[in-house]
Amino acid sequence: MHPAYSVILFTTMSGAGYGLLIWLSALGLAGALPPTRTLGFFAFGLAFALIGGGLMSSTAHLGRPERAWRAFSQWRSSWLSREGVLAVASFVPAGLLAINWIFYESFSPALAWATIALSLATVYATGMIYQSLPTIRAWHNPLVTPIYLVLAIATGGVIALFFLRAAELQAARPSLVAIAMLLAAAALKWSYWTGIDSAQRTYTAGAATGLGQFGKVRMLISPHSTANYVMREMGYSVGRRHANKLRRTALWVGLIAPALLTALSLYAPAGTEIALALLAVAAMAFGIITERWLFFAEAEHVVNVYYGAEAA
Amino acid sequence: MTSLPQSTDKKLGLVIDLDTCVGCQACATSCKEWNTGGYSAPLSDIQPYGVDPQGTWLNRIHSYEIGEGSTSRTVHFPRSCLHCETPACVTVCPTGASYKRAEDGIVLVNPDTCIGCKLCSWACPYGAREYDYAEGVMRKCTLCVDRIYNEHIPEEDRIPACVRACPTGARHYGDLGDSESKVSKLVAERGGYALLPEMDYKPVNRYLPPRPRRDSNTASSDTPRPAEKPVSTGAAIERLFKFADKILSR
């Protein structure tokens, strides 16, 4: 699949934004983060900037962005529509939570729970947009949505830790949770890659044309002399050698390095924790964008078997 | 509304005969011509005379080679929307622009409400939907909904443009939900099949497989060859002719 930058940015940024909202709510509920004005302003500000920036970026993917409001209407059948509805709905408790936090320096557990629930639901819907497509084997995989959820929480956690460090708050237990989420994401991603590599590719040109009964089907003449939309959008594929290199980048830079840096910050001399936390955020951002690029570039669409691909 | 109708009154669709299709592209050209002025107008082209021309087409004709060596054969394979009974391209649509008509089963995109998110094209295993880069909306086969019910054109033209254009009669149009219809009978008689049934989109369109191969080796077994010389019956008239032939040949 063609890795569109608008969609890569949208899913990574809004994922981290919802993850951060989940962490702010959870830390507030755990009493680990007092509702102070400055911290609230920057932390909620960043969360809303990530989500808003992601949503803005996603409209860049649309041919008719001015009609985007119509996408809220088909939540009965469409995961994309559900995601839009949930994304907007989550702004209600999250926005009220932020207003309470920043302007009144008070914390509402009910709003925090609602923020957590709707944020999780939004990320779940994002994952389901991909997982529900039977045409793309690498996406029609039960690990896709759990990975989206765990990655959102892990990336939000690394950013939340930076705010804890910046506010010079106790971060030992949140750090352990974040490390656990990062390692869980790494394990899930690893098993996802192993799974898609060993998956049987049952769709062939013979099966897709119904002509396999007469022998091996080979493309003789393409319907068009230059790539059409279907080829441009669905025909993108990344070489196996590059994919392996990028997988290692995503795993080591995006997940394991932030986990190590977070662990290190627990034992680092005072004053250096914030630098380590910032480094963890930077490494994670680079690695997760690589991971998301690969999520698209590695995914093979079944339509390619009509265009000469061996199997999909 | 992108939820699918429980059932449709009719299942209008195409039956494509891979035995007689010659890959002439007339159906694709005729489709483009009609639809760039019809329901889906325009079907944009980008750089049509440039080095990398591309455009939106609703019908694409592949040619495949099947088998090896002297027994291989070429099959031309038109590919367009199959107007599935349970198409995920419709249910994934976030705006309701994609829909399946309850009256005849035609799957359409409303070009006035499509936001061009392209998700429907990801959901289609058949590559039937093409995005119009210039207009920012998705395009697909309309089964010439603006011809088949059009009382302003002669009755013989009230069929999809591709069917009308096909010079070998390889394309048939009708109600595949009616087992007594011409197309349904054709499918039953020729063993018509659906594409990728395991995807469970339940395509309405059917493809008729190529007939068994006929060449110099296999053709003789079909019809007995005539004897090289007529067999003599020994009748009196025949002997007279033989005698005359002998005299005249001197």
Side-chain angles (χ1 to χ4, degrees):
Chain A
M1 297 297 290
H2 169 68
Y5 291 106
S6 51
V7 179
I8 292 171
L9 279 181
F10 163 59
T11 55
T12 52
M13 283 170 70
S14 67
Y18 285 114
L20 182 54
L21 285 181
I22 292 168
W23 273 79
L24 294 174
S25 306
L27 289 170
L29 286 168
L33 192 60
T36 55
R37 182 158 300 155
T38 321
L39 181 111
F41 178 79
F42 285 106
F44 278 101
L46 181 64
F48 290 130
L50 284 169
I51 296 167
L55 288 172
M56 293 285 277
S57 163
S58 77
T59 62
H61 183 67
L62 303 180
R64 295 289 191 137
E66 77 279 10
R67 299 176 181 168
W69 60 272
R70 293 186 182 275
F72 299 121
S73 64
Q74 302 303 311
W75 47 270
R76 285 182 198 84
S77 73
S78 163
W79 279 108
L80 179 54
S81 185
R82 285 172 200 161
E83 185 206 36
V85 171
L86 288 165
V88 172
S90 64
F91 272 104
V92 176
L96 291 173
L97 186 70
I99 289 167
N100 262 325
W101 190 307
I102 297 162
F103 294 101
Y104 305 102
E105 297 203 317
S106 75
F107 181 79
S108 155
L111 287 173
W113 282 115
T115 303
I116 291 174
L118 283 171
S119 298
L120 287 174
T122 308
V123 179
Y124 180 81
T126 307
M128 285 307 290
I129 294 173
Y130 303 101
Q131 193 182 313
S132 65
L133 297 175
T135 47
I136 301 161
R137 194 180 294 282
W139 292 355
H140 199 53
N141 177 312
L143 284 180
V144 163
T145 303
I147 287 173
Y148 265 90
L149 283 165
V150 172
L151 279 179
I153 299 170
T155 52
V158 173
I159 300 170
L161 283 176
F162 169 76
F163 284 108
L164 282 176
R165 292 298 185 186
E168 295 181 333
L169 289 162
Q170 182 51 248
R173 273 166 59 189
S175 293
L176 291 179
V177 178
I179 290 168
M181 294 311 287
L182 286 164
L183 295 180
L188 279 174
K189 204 66 212 188
W190 183 257
S191 99
Y192 166 77
W193 281 323
T194 324
I196 61 169
D197 285 350
S198 60
Q200 282 236 323
R201 298 159 87 234
T202 49
Y203 299 116
T204 59
T209 56
L211 296 168
Q213 51 176 315
F214 301 105
K216 194 170 157 58
V217 177
R218 293 178 302 280
M219 175 97 148
L220 184 65
I221 308 169
S222 173
H224 31 82
S225 52
T226 60
N228 69 339
Y229 163 74
V230 173
M231 295 311 298
R232 282 166 212 258
E233 183 78 0
M234 264 75 84
Y236 191 96
S237 70
V238 61
R240 173 52 60 85
R241 218 151 51 97
H242 292 298
N244 281 338
K245 209 178 282 175
L246 292 167
R247 283 179 183 184
R248 283 197 292 273
T249 307
L251 204 62
W252 287 96
V253 181
L255 297 167
I256 295 173
L260 290 174
L261 287 165
T262 307
L264 205 59
S265 73
L266 294 174
Y267 303 100
T272 59
E273 301 107 324
I274 188 159
L276 288 170
L278 195 60
L279 203 58
V281 172
M284 181 195 72
F286 180 77
I288 296 304
I289 287 176
T290 309
E291 181 272 335
R292 207 53 49 88
W293 186 89
L294 207 51
F295 177 74
F296 286 90
E298 274 195 301
E300 293 168 319
H301 195 286
V302 63
V303 75
N304 286 298
V305 299
Y306 288 105
Y307 280 98
E310 284 269 308
Chain B
M1 193 61 218
T2 53
S3 296
L4 297 170
Q6 284 292 316
S7 65
T8 57
D9 300 340
K10 286 183 181 178
K11 293 177 189 173
L12 294 185
L14 300 174
V15 174
I16 297 169
D17 190 345
L18 299 179
D19 191 65
T20 44
C21 174
V22 292
C24 69
Q25 310 274 342
C27 55
T29 318
S30 179
C31 164
K32 174 87 169 176
E33 189 202 10
W34 176 264
N35 284 294
T36 202
Y39 175 90
S40 287
L43 297 182
S44 305
D45 291 317
I46 293 165
Q47 286 193 43
Y49 305 102
V51 287
D52 188 19
Q54 56 163 309
T56 318
W57 294 64
L58 312 180
N59 187 13
R60 299 286 194 177
I61 323 304
H62 296 250
S63 298
Y64 295 106
E65 193 176 29
I66 300 155
E68 303 293 334
S70 62
T71 59
S72 72
R73 59 163 94 198
T74 303
V75 174
H76 305 289
F77 185 89
R79 183 175 56 80
S80 60
C81 176
L82 309 171
H83 297 281
C84 301
E85 288 179 56
T86 53
C89 61
V90 168
T91 51
V92 300
C93 175
T95 67
S98 273
Y99 62 105
K100 184 169 175 70
R101 286 158 51 114
E103 61 268 43
D104 51 19
I106 298 178
V107 176
L108 287 178
V109 179
N110 180 348
D112 296 328
T113 54
C114 173
I115 59 173
C117 72
K118 311 179 190 76
L119 186 57
C120 56
S121 67
W122 296 2
C124 175
Y126 310 105
R129 289 173 172 243
E130 294 202 10
Y131 180 67
D132 187 325
Y133 287 96
E135 295 294 311
V137 295
M138 196 56 73
R139 306 291 193 200
K140 68 175 295 302
C141 162
T142 66
L143 208 66
C144 283
V145 69
D146 43 7
R147 283 177 72 100
I148 58 178
Y149 299 115
N150 192 336
E151 289 176 6
H152 300 286
I153 59 175
E155 206 172 339
E156 66 267 29
D157 285 334
R158 290 176 208 164
I159 53 174
C162 58
V163 178
R164 192 82 179 96
C166 181
T168 63
R171 302 179 73 96
H172 307 269
Y173 154 78
D175 181 6
L176 285 142
D178 171 8
S179 59
E180 291 304 303
S181 70
K182 244 173 85 183
V183 281
S184 294
K185 285 180 175 161
L186 191 59
V187 168
E189 180 193 325
R190 293 277 306 280
Y193 59 88
L195 301 183
L196 290 174
E198 58 271 46
M199 277 278 166
D200 207 29
Y201 283 42
K202 299 193 178 73
V204 167
N205 285 13
R206 288 289 184 270
Y207 285 79
L208 305 180
R211 289 187 173 90
R213 209 185 144 79
R214 287 160 62 97
D215 60 15
S216 56
N217 295 321
T218 52
S220 58
S221 63
D222 290 359
T223 42
R225 289 176 130 188
E228 294 204 345
K229 276 185 180 169
V231 185
S232 171
T233 55
I237 187 85
E238 224 173 83
R239 289 206 303 277
L240 177 66
F241 280 139
K242 220 172 197 174
F243 172 74
D245 184 50
K246 217 174 186 176
I247 300 294
L248 294 169
S249 301
R250 281 209 179 126

